[in-house]
């Protein structure tokens, strides 16, 4: 049966393929319905998870609260050791985890393997950085006073994650939160929760105490409400749509729960006339088409200087024509399926709108199964020319393998176009000019800028956006700060 939102709910799942999640070190309570997780490329069931709600959300917070005191009291070294063990266990099981990830999410197996390594890197990095949390000692303006500034864990934190990076979005939140002494309740996305379940199982296996990591699945709205309605939850870290982010902001007003919000992006990519075109083309192709274009930092709006437009387009098209669309578990595939029917519909609507308003499809633009036995949820990598600012592809995140190209004449125009939308996650620019690179970096109103580079997310860097792309940063020392309270203690001496 379906709950009306496209979710497949079953009363009697295949018991051998049920993942229950984790609450207080035990399988999560599983009364009621189960959510079927389907392979987006084949529609076959990959597994089932409980469809929990407010009761499960409360039970998870109970468990995390009970574990919070001892976990906070454990030394940073103890916490670091466990985080490193979890990272090692994930790397040991890369193949098994990557297969689960590909089956539930669709990305090619090589990319899924890369994501497991990337996800593990947050655990290692936070393990080390968690040992370097320091305070401060200050002299006060009064002679007989001294001030000590302490940085302490918040307590219980919640995380709600999306489906496009089912492993990395979990560890990017969990690792810094745990490293500095918080315990966590977590809800992965309904489309791809099984990788998170597998990571939670590994955490138990390597010895994380019960209740430090709790993972539940189910009704997102009910779980989110329950967590933001519970004063014990001191922070919610969310990655997802701007629309849901706004809802969470409203609901966080009850207890003034702190929020980190990594929301939608609509990344511009500028190619100046002095760019190294080979570098620009290579970087554009890899950033745009990984994960079938379903990445919040992937370039969505490409602005090319009119004088290099033809050369850029020819090279990009040649690169696109080498990309293979297919099932993520098949060898040699670069582009897998879109996650669900809604994602396919959005791509279709954007392509139709672009064609209708005069865009030229240089290559791609075909929707449907690439071979027998696969679902129709595929789109060939697409290059759109003669795009204009009013087309949907130029205004909204397409979240599909569509590269939409416009031209510009001057640097000022390129910057104005890049900054013209209310999103501010990532932006990219390609130029050989040092002064221009600095000028453009300063002028782009985005949380992240890739200058002659499109890989902007690593464990050391600060990941996050401005404007409608959200608040807060993940990764680096900034990622840990998000999970610490600053306490000022004044001593009379
Ligand atoms: P996307 O469009 O990428 O699926 P969403 O914002 O819908 O982005 O989903 C991101 C995460 O937010 C998922 O885990 C989803 O279950 C969760 N989510 C969706 N709606 C709500 C809600 N009303 N309250 C809390 N979480 C939600």
């Amino acid at each position: 049966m379906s709950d009306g939102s496209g979710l497949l709910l079953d009363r009697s799942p295949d018991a051998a393929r049920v993942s229950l999640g984790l609450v207080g070190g035990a399988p999560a309570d599983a009364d009621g319905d189960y959510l079927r997780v389907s392979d987006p490329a084949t529609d076959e069931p990959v597994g089932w998870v409980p469809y929990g709600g407010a009761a499960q959300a409360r039970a998870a917070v109970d468990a995390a609260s009970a574990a919070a005191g001892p976990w906070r009291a454990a030394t940073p070294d103890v916490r670091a050791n466990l985080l490193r063990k979890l990272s090692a266990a994930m790397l040991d099981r890369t193949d098994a985890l990557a297969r689960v990830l590909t089956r539930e999410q669709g990305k090619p197996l090589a990319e899924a393997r890369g994501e497991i390594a990337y996800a593990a890197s947050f655990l290692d990095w936070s393990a080390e950085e968690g040992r370097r949390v320091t305070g401060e000692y200050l002299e006060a303006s009064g002679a007989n006073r001294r001030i000590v500034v302490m940085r302490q864990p918040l307590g219980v934190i919640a995380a709600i994650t999306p489906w496009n990076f089912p492993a990395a979005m979990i560890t990017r939140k969990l690792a810094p939160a745990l490293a500095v002494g918080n315990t966590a309740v977590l809800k992965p996305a309904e489309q791809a929760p099984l990788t998170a379940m597998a990571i939670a199982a590994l955490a138990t296996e390597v010895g994380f105490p019960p209740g430090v990591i709790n993972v539940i699945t189910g009704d997102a709205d009910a779980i989110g409400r329950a967590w933001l309605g519970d004063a014990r939850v001191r922070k919610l870290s969310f990655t997802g749509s701007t629309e849901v982010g706004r809802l969470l902001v409203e609901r966080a007003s009850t207890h003034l729960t702190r929020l980190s919000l990594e929301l939608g992006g609509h990344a511009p990519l500028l190619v100046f006339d002095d760019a190294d075109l080979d570098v620009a083309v290579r970087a554009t192709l890899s950033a745009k088409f990984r994960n079938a274009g379903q990445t919040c930092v992937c370039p969505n709006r490409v602005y090319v200087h009119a004088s290099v437009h033809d050369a850029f387009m020819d090279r990009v098209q040649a690169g696109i024509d080498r990309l293979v669309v297919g099932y993520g578990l098949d060898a040699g595939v670069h582009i897998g399926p879109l996650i669900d029917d809604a994602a396919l519909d959005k791509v279709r609507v954007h392509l139709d709108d672009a064609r209708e308003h005069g865009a030229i499809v240089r290559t791609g633009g075909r929707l449907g199964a690439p071979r027998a036995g696969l679902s129709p949820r595929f789109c060939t990598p697409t290059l759109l020319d003669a795009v204009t600012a009013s087309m949907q592809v130029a205004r909204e995140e397409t979240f599909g393998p569509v590269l939409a190209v416009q031209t510009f004449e001057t640097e000022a125009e390129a910057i104005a176009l890049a900054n013209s939308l209310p999103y501010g996650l990532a932006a990219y620019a390609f130029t050989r000019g040092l002064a221009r690179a600095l000028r453009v970096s300063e002028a782009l109103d985005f949380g992240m800028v890739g200058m002659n580079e499109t890989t902007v997310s690593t464990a050391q860097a600060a990941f996050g956006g401005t404007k409608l792309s959200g608040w807060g940063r993940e990764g680096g020392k900034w990622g840990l700060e998000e999970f610490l309270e600053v306490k000022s203690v004044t001593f009379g001496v």
Side-chain angles (χ1 to χ4, degrees), residues 159-164 187-191 218-225 228 236 238-245 247-248 251 263 339-340 399:
I160 297 180
T161 56
W163 48 265
N164 58 347
K187 191 204 81 62
E190 43 276 30
Q191 297 93 335
D219 180 341
D221 193 68
I223 292 170
R225 277 179 197 273
L228 290 174
L236 172 65
F238 172 75
T239 299
S241 60
T242 297
E243 186 191 0
V244 173
L247 260 183
L248 298 177
R251 292 177 187 164
L263 309 177
I339 189 71
D340 54 23
F399 242 53

Side-chain angles (χ1 to χ4, degrees), residues 90-418:
M90 284 178 65
L91 293 174
D92 266 2
R93 317 278 170 87
T94 296
D95 275 344
L97 287 170
R99 289 185 82 80
V100 172
L101 204 164
T102 291
R103 289 222 58 207
E104 67 174 349
Q105 199 272 345
K107 69 179 63 174
L109 194 57
E111 271 189 47
R113 284 200 190 98
E115 183 182 335
I116 299 302
Y118 171 61
S121 75
F122 286 99
L123 295 164
D124 285 324
W125 203 88
S126 295
E128 292 310 320
E129 196 64 8
R131 303 162 91 178
R132 299 192 181 95
V133 173
T134 56
E136 283 172 67
Y137 170 85
L138 307 168
E139 293 196 39
S141 35
N144 298 327
R145 278 186 224 124
R146 302 290 183 274
I147 299 164
V148 172
V149 181
M150 304 176 177
R151 280 142 90 236
Q152 298 180 307
L154 301 172
V156 176
I157 68 97
I160 297 180
T161 56
W163 48 265
N164 58 347
F165 287 88
M169 293 305 100
I170 299 289
T171 56
R172 196 157 81 180
K173 298 183 188 304
L174 206 55
L178 264 45
V180 300
N182 302 280
T183 55
V185 295
L186 228 135
K187 191 204 81 62
E190 43 276 30
Q191 297 93 335
L194 299 171
T195 309
M197 300 303 218
I199 293 172
L202 280 183
T204 303
E205 194 180 308
V206 302
F208 271 89
V212 169
I213 301 172
N214 305 278
V215 181
I216 61 166
T217 44
D219 180 341
D221 193 68
I223 292 170
R225 277 179 197 273
W227 284 347
L228 290 174
D230 190 328
R232 296 173 297 173
V233 175
R234 301 295 289 274
K235 163 142 200 165
L236 172 65
S237 177
F238 172 75
T239 299
S241 60
T242 297
E243 186 191 0
V244 173
R246 281 202 183 102
L247 260 183
L248 298 177
V249 171
E250 283 170 23
R251 292 177 187 164
S253 70
T254 308
H255 296 291
L256 295 181
T257 312
R258 285 200 200 189
L259 294 173
S260 291
L261 302 170
E262 199 266 273
L263 309 177
H266 196 358
L269 184 147
L270 314 179
V271 182
F272 288 97
D273 50 357
D274 59 355
D276 181 327
L277 279 193
D278 287 334
V279 170
V281 167
R282 214 170 31 244
T284 304
L285 288 170
S286 86
K288 177 69 237 186
F289 295 108
R290 92 188 151 109
N291 208 8
Q294 303 171 109
T295 305
C296 50
V297 292
C298 72
N300 277 279
R301 304 174 280 146
V302 175
Y303 301 104
V304 184
H305 191 272
S307 67
V308 291
H309 167 269
D310 293 354
F312 179 82
M313 294 304 268
D314 289 347
R315 290 185 213 189
V316 166
Q317 184 169 346
I320 287 179
D321 289 341
R322 284 194 288 273
L323 297 176
V324 176
V325 180
Y327 188 30
L329 292 180
D330 290 347
V333 165
H334 302 106
I335 298 187
L338 297 163
I339 189 71
D340 54 23
D341 293 345
L344 183 71
D345 280 347
K346 188 168 190 193
V347 172
R348 177 182 294 119
V349 167
H350 279 200
L351 287 178
D352 288 350
D353 173 79
R355 283 193 188 103
E356 214 169 285
H357 291 92
I360 298 162
V361 181
R362 292 273 302 244
T363 186
R366 286 188 309 282
L367 306 177
R371 66 162 168 81
L374 296 183
S375 80
R377 239 169 263 116
F378 288 81
C379 175
T380 52
T382 305
L383 179 59
L384 293 181
D385 201 356
V387 169
T388 58
S390 61
M391 292 176 189
Q392 282 185 22
V393 275
R395 290 186 283 114
E396 296 164 27
E397 209 174 15
T398 306
F399 242 53
V402 178
L403 191 65
V405 180
Q406 305 177 54
T407 54
F408 66 87
E409 296 285 350
T410 67
E411 185 181 305
E413 183 193 357
I415 289 167
L417 285 166

Side-chain angles (χ1 to χ4, degrees), residues 63-98:
S65 293
W71 184 246
R72 175 188 180 139
T75 62
D77 285 17
V78 167
R79 298 194 291 258
N81 266 336
L82 283 168
L83 289 167
R84 274 198 307 265
K85 279 188 186 164
L86 179 55
S87 161
M90 284 178 65
L91 293 174
D92 266 2
R93 317 278 170 87
T94 296
D95 275 344
L97 287 170

